[in-house]
Amino acid sequence: MSIELDIPEFPYEEPPRGITCGQEPWNGVLLMVDRIPFRTGDEVTFHVTVHSDGSGQIVAAQTQGVVSISADTTSVGWTIPWAGVLDTVSQGSISAFYTLAPADGSAPSTSQEAIVLYSRQRPDGTVCGPDN
């Protein structure tokens, strides 16, 4: 049985600016999926692309994160890593979608893509990071 997948969310996004220094991206950026009936044994694969532009056209880094569901739940999260991913650009965007592989062996489903603006530039022009 196919279920309608919810679009992933960036719960610490600050509209309309997106993910900024205030969210301390060097600690990772949380990506969440809520309101889906995940079952024990399901596998959720998050697919993340960091872009060096705001429209999501120029790829700077890509990564995947796999979460194995250990108990029935309606919420799954994964943290996008800093090293080699979020640290690759100082300004751009992050896009993400996920694939749900059900434990019962039925066909995997893929969500729609979410995109958020991403900037480590402060108003004075300096770039924030773990050391500043």
Side-chain angles (χ1 to χ4, degrees):
M1 179 171 99
S2 177
I3 61 171
E4 182 81 22
L5 297 183
D6 194 22
I7 191 168
E9 299 173 4
F10 296 88
Y12 297 111
E13 171 187 7
E14 288 185 9
R17 296 175 307 176
I19 303 297
T20 64
C21 295
Q23 287 80 40
E24 300 180 348
W26 49 91
N27 293 322
V29 170
L30 183 62
L31 189 58
M32 292 290 301
V33 178
D34 290 318
R35 300 176 302 274
I36 301 293
F38 297 107
R39 301 289 175 231
T40 302
D42 287 352
E43 191 172 88
V44 178
T45 303
F46 290 95
H47 308 268
V48 175
T49 303
V50 175
H51 309 272
S52 59
D53 66 313
S55 62
Q57 301 299 309
I58 303 170
V59 175
Q62 294 182 307
T63 191
Q64 289 184 346
V66 178
V67 178
S68 297
I69 307 301
S70 58
D72 290 359
T73 186
T74 59
S75 181
V76 174
W78 180 71
T79 302
I80 304 167
W82 168 255
V85 183
L86 295 170
D87 65 347
T88 60
V89 301
S90 60
Q91 197 160 353
S93 59
I94 305 168
S95 62
F97 67 94
Y98 64 98
T99 303
L100 169 62
D104 65 10
S106 58
S109 301
T110 300
S111 75
Q112 292 182 3
E113 187 174 65
I115 189 167
V116 65
L117 292 177
Y118 176 62
S119 178
R120 296 190 297 120
Q121 295 214 333
R122 293 188 175 110
D124 67 2
T126 61
V127 175
C128 65
D131 299 323
N132 57 1

